[in-house]
Each structure stands twice: as C-alpha cells, then as structure tokens.
Amino acid sequence: MTLRAKELGFSLAVIASAGGIILILSVRSARRAILREVVESQLARVAEAAARLPEGVRRRDERRLLPVLQSIQARAGGPYAAVLDRDGVVLGHTNVVEVGKRWADAVTRSALAREEPGAVESVYAGEPVLDVVVPVREAEEEYMLAGSGGRAARLGTLRFGVPLRKPFATVRQIGFNILWIILAVALFATVAVVAFIHRILAPVRLLAEGTERIARGDYAVDIPVRSRDEFGSLARRFNRMSQVLREESAQR
C-alpha cells in the first residue's frame, strides 16, 4: 500500500469516526430535547383536568374519574389515561375493562414511587408511547384547612400515554438532515485531504524520480526547491549530492 493510500485511509477513518460521533450525539440531544418538550407541554395541558381528580380518587368513584380521564386522553392525543391508588389498583381507566385490576409491572412500581411529575418511554399496543406520571394529591386548600404541615397527602397516581410516532419521526428527520450535512462536509474534507496529500507527496515523487535517474548513471538531476520545510531541506541536500556526483564523474 502506498503512502498516499495510507494517509487517505487514515484521514477517511478519522472523518467517518468524527461524523458518526457527531451524528449520534446530535440525535440523542434532539431526542432528549423533544421528549422534554412533549412532557412539559402535556403536563401544562392536563394540569387543570388533573386538579379535578382528588375527590374521585378519595371516593374511589369511577363515574367521577372517567370524564376527567377521557378529557386528559383527548388533550394528550394518546391511547389511554388511568388513575391508580397507592397500591397500584386501577380506580379509573379509559378502557373500563382495566378498572379494578392491580398493576404490578416495573413501570407501575416506578410510577407509584415517583413523587414528582415525570415520564418514561414505554410501548402500548405495539406503538411507542411516553407514559406520563402525575401524583394525585389532596386539594391544597383542604390540606391547608386541616392544619397539616408539609406536602399535601398523596391519594394516587395519574398515568396517561402520549404517542411518540410523530416526535420520533421528527427526530429521524433531524438525524437525516445532520447526516446529509456530515456527508457534505466529509466530501469537502476528503477533496481537501486528497489535494493536501498530493501537494505534500509531490516533492517525494520528485526525489524518487531523481534517485532513479542517478541509479541509471544520469547525474544531471536538479530537484526544484519549492519550500523551506523538511522537504525543501531534503531537496537541497539531494541537489548537493547530485552536484558532487557530477563533479566526480567529470574528473574520471
């Protein structure tokens, strides 16, 4: 393998590695930002509806809970909305067949342990969703009237799904756009590297040709000195050597 091929291969490997790292980090960053925006917007949109849940949770009244859950589901545009008590029993669900069941999966255990609103990626009916969790607490005014200190008592947990098909499509589009930019930059960088390598190796090629001529007995070789770097110094030394050989050949 020639030196040019080695240098080009190394440069392409560096460009590909750097581009891959940039692509991965950019897509991950975009994904986190979009999911965070989805969570914040959904929490803001359902806050008013969620405030109507405590009475129904306290009474364990599915009829009170269902209209609120349907409203939350419609606002989130997702496949489900549910309220669980502190033990994971479903008090209300937009799919009535789930009411009364006790959920004990890992996502539910994490939701029951969460003290602040949050979300986790999940799958529902084969589709990616963002499972948003909101603790349902005693109404603040009632809690304050009771004279208790600290945070209002937790009554249960609201969970609702937000479809991720569109957000993920946006992330993929961002990834494709970044990929095209990286490919364009990589193409430009490759052309620049090839031109740079050609310029760097030009003196080496001249030295190689001069060495072959001297090996054939042709001492009338004069390498042009085009720079003051190491290649220029090597060319000047080669020319001195060629001159010495010519003088010695003339004296014979």
Side-chain angles (χ1 to χ4, degrees):
M1 182 180 292
T2 64
L3 181 60
R4 176 180 297 179
K6 291 181 180 178
E7 292 186 354
L8 182 59
F10 175 77
S11 300
L12 291 178
V14 171
I15 293 172
S17 300
I21 293 173
I22 292 173
L23 177 62
I24 292 172
L25 294 179
S26 299
V27 170
R28 286 182 177 178
S29 178
R31 180 188 178 98
R32 286 195 298 268
I34 289 176
L35 291 181
R36 182 169 58 250
E37 181 179 350
V38 169
V39 172
E40 292 175 353
S41 64
Q42 291 297 336
L43 289 177
R45 293 172 64 183
V46 304
E48 181 182 353
R52 309 202 313 266
L53 289 173
E55 181 66 21
V57 175
R58 190 187 309 109
R59 294 175 179 272
R60 306 178 75 88
D61 187 346
E62 180 190 355
R63 290 178 298 176
R64 285 177 176 264
L65 295 173
L66 185 57
V68 181
L69 294 177
Q70 291 173 336
S71 172
I72 292 173
Q73 180 186 23
R75 294 188 183 191
Y80 62 89
V83 175
L84 289 67
D85 68 8
R86 287 177 293 184
D87 296 322
V89 177
V90 180
L91 303 179
H93 198 293
T94 48
N95 182 0
V96 294
V97 299
E98 294 292 330
V99 177
K101 294 182 180 179
R102 184 176 185 274
W103 292 355
D105 57 280
V107 176
T108 299
R109 291 196 300 270
S110 175
L112 296 177
R114 185 184 291 274
E115 292 297 328
E116 299 293 338
V120 62
E121 290 183 46
S122 184
V123 177
Y124 186 86
E127 292 291 331
V129 296
L130 196 64
D131 192 270
V132 182
V133 177
V134 181
V136 178
R137 300 187 182 278
E138 195 74 65
E140 292 292 338
E141 58 272 14
E142 296 182 10
Y143 195 68
M144 292 176 66
L145 288 174
S148 302
R151 176 178 287 182
R154 181 169 181 172
L155 301 175
T157 301
L158 165 65
R159 288 177 59 184
F160 60 94
V162 180
L164 291 178
R165 180 183 293 274
K166 289 184 177 180
F168 281 175
T170 301
V171 173
R172 285 193 297 271
Q173 186 59 51
I174 292 173
F176 282 129
N177 293 340
I178 294 174
L179 177 61
W180 283 115
I181 293 173
I182 290 175
L183 291 176
V185 173
L187 178 61
F188 174 80
T190 301
V191 173
V193 167
V194 170
F196 179 74
I197 292 174
H198 178 77
R199 182 175 180 180
I200 288 295
L201 294 183
V204 177
R205 185 172 61 254
L206 292 175
L207 287 171
E209 293 173 355
T211 302
E212 291 180 0
R213 290 177 59 183
I214 288 177
R216 294 195 301 266
D218 181 6
Y219 303 131
V221 181
D222 191 17
I223 301 295
V225 180
R226 298 173 178 172
S227 64
R228 296 183 179 180
D229 55 14
E230 289 82 356
F231 287 114
S233 176
L234 184 59
R236 285 191 293 271
R237 293 179 183 179
F238 183 90
N239 291 337
R240 287 198 295 269
M241 179 191 70
S242 177
Q243 182 179 0
V244 170
L245 290 174
R246 285 198 302 270
E247 293 175 353
E248 291 179 353
S249 177
Q251 293 174 1
R252 293 176 185 173

